[in-house]
Amino acid sequence: MIRLLLAGFVAFAAWTGAAHAHTRSQSMSHWRVDAGAVSGRVEADAVDVTRLYALGVDTSLQETFERHAATAFSFSTDGGDCRRIGAPAPAPASAGRIAVRLRFECPDNGAAQQVTIGSTLFLDVAATHLHFASVTAPDGAGSEAVLTDTRRSAALDLKAQGPAAGAWETFIRYVPVGAVHVWGGLDHLAFILGLTLLARGLGSVALAATGFTLGHTATLALAALGVLSPDSATVEALIGFTVAFVAVEAARDGPARLTRWSVPIAAGLLVMAALSIMNVVAIAAVSLAGLAVFAWAYPRGFPRGAAAAPGLAAAFGLIHGCGFAGALGDLDLPRPRLLAGLAGFNVGVEAAQVVVIVAALAVGWAWKRSAGVRFNAAPDVAAAGLLALGTYWFASRAFGA
């Protein structure tokens, strides 16, 4: 197993540098449509704005974002195309975020019934970027859209709609958002693959998937509704820990190895907790202390091997749910539509999870059926690779790399 672990670390060392998978590039905008005008606020993470320097710009982050946003959006209403007026203006934003205000002049034909919005924001530097836009009419009616590289524009109906219709449309709209968040997040995919390796059987996989669903649904709902306010840096690092931990347990000698190494692992986590108190580590000290207790107690009081899959999935699903909530919370959905968006997002997550599990099982089945394949260590090699990724994510996010 040691040789396999070393091989996994070497194989993935050159790849993991670009594998900050969970913090997907995304931005949002809120627009108001009045007679003859569209005005709005566009906001993005400062880290995403730094990507624009790849285009050769040398201005400040704020000015760079203002110039980029000014050319990235387009609007048209019932009366025809709109044109941007005035210079982009900076807007207040929370720490680590950058915002700009834009205004467009449109043909004045009374209250617009339909608005088409287009966006190429960040697509030149991040092909998988997601932009979440909401458009509101003076009477409060409105709609939202998710714009991507393959869907750069959307026609939004601003006619007043009943609550049921608005909720259903919001639900449908955010199903693919949840799915894309999983498929575009390598750490979520890695964790699901690790569970599949650990479960080793259709029935056990189904129980593990159910446990993961229950876990992440609980914290996703609580965090999205504002009951929980998890620290994003801590959540991101802990997601890496879940991948590494499941990967070790999934190896053939994983249960024995975790038993032997549980005390050193717990001690290392306590050292990190002390460093957190000194602001050297980005993870909250109490979270690291909790991980230390878990790492020490797990081999002594929990089911092991495939029997551990449902319990680990449920427990670690609580952490992944906080990560999902961060993505959903960034959308800033209106309160009446939040529950519908939450439900749609969660259904999308589950659909993506099923696709990943089925694909992994199909590959495993084909591997075993192949007459020319006799490499029985393949699951261990996969586990070693996942361990390399999980360890890298945990360490790099913990120390703010």
Side-chain angles (χ1 to χ4, degrees):
M1 181 61 181
I2 291 293
R3 293 178 181 178
L4 291 175
L5 292 180
L6 290 175
F9 273 101
V10 171
F12 282 88
W15 180 41
T16 51
H20 295 280
H22 182 69
T23 49
R24 184 184 184 89
S25 174
Q26 58 188 42
S27 57
M28 70 187 76
S29 61
H30 302 277
W31 306 91
R32 181 177 176 84
V33 179
D34 293 305
V38 176
S39 57
R41 179 179 182 275
V42 185
E43 181 178 335
D45 194 294
V47 173
D48 285 326
V49 179
T50 62
R51 298 170 184 253
L52 297 175
Y53 286 127
L55 301 178
V57 298
D58 58 358
T59 53
S60 67
L61 282 179
Q62 180 68 47
E63 187 177 352
T64 297
F65 186 51
E66 290 175 10
R67 291 182 178 181
H68 179 62
T71 60
F73 288 93
S74 63
F75 283 91
S76 64
T77 62
D78 309 277
D81 293 339
C82 307
R83 66 180 184 88
R84 185 176 60 82
I85 56 175
S94 58
R97 307 282 291 179
I98 297 178
V100 60
R101 296 191 185 279
L102 298 173
R103 184 174 176 82
F104 293 80
E105 184 180 63
C106 305
D108 188 358
N109 64 335
Q113 297 296 309
Q114 180 170 293
V115 172
T116 299
I117 177 175
S119 172
T120 60
L121 199 70
F122 294 116
L123 293 182
D124 289 339
V125 292
T128 59
H129 183 80
L130 298 179
H131 181 76
F132 305 96
S134 66
V135 181
T136 305
D139 62 0
S143 187
E144 300 92 24
V146 182
L147 303 179
T148 66
D149 190 31
T150 57
R151 186 186 184 227
R152 298 190 175 197
S153 64
L156 305 180
D157 188 0
L158 300 185
K159 296 178 181 178
Q161 300 176 0
W168 175 248
E169 289 187 357
T170 301
F171 173 86
I172 294 298
R173 185 171 294 118
Y174 286 101
V175 169
V177 176
V180 168
H181 187 70
V182 172
W183 289 327
L186 185 57
D187 47 7
H188 289 311
L189 292 176
F191 180 74
I192 294 170
L193 291 174
L195 284 179
T196 306
L197 284 174
L198 176 60
R200 297 182 182 179
L202 187 58
S204 184
V205 168
L207 287 175
T210 302
F212 185 59
T213 298
L214 294 175
H216 78 67
T217 298
T219 48
L220 170 59
L222 292 175
L225 293 173
V227 178
L228 295 178
S229 298
D231 177 71
S232 60
T234 296
V235 171
E236 296 297 329
L238 293 187
I239 287 174
F241 178 87
T242 67
V243 174
F245 196 92
V246 169
V248 174
E249 183 74 303
R252 281 180 294 184
D253 64 345
R257 188 166 298 279
L258 274 179
T259 299
R260 292 195 300 270
W261 286 90
S262 61
V263 172
I265 291 173
L269 290 169
L270 288 176
V271 170
M272 291 183 67
L275 293 175
S276 176
I277 296 174
M278 296 183 287
N279 295 321
V280 176
V281 177
I283 311 177
V286 66
S287 298
L288 288 165
L291 283 185
V293 172
F294 174 80
W296 178 85
Y298 176 77
R300 294 163 175 80
F302 291 84
R304 308 304 306 279
L312 281 180
F316 289 165
L318 296 172
I319 298 173
H320 284 254
C322 291
F324 292 142
L328 185 61
D330 283 345
L331 310 189
D332 195 22
L333 285 170
R335 186 72 180 189
R337 298 186 182 182
L338 179 58
L339 291 177
L342 173 63
F345 187 91
N346 198 53
V347 168
V349 168
E350 301 315 320
Q353 175 183 315
V354 170
V355 170
V356 173
I357 290 174
V358 170
L361 290 176
V363 169
W365 178 84
W367 182 277
K368 290 182 179 180
R369 296 281 296 179
S370 177
V373 173
R374 293 292 183 269
F375 187 43
N376 294 327
D380 283 344
V381 172
L386 294 177
L387 173 59
L389 283 172
T391 302
Y392 171 80
W393 285 325
F394 177 67
S396 62
R397 295 169 182 179
F399 289 95

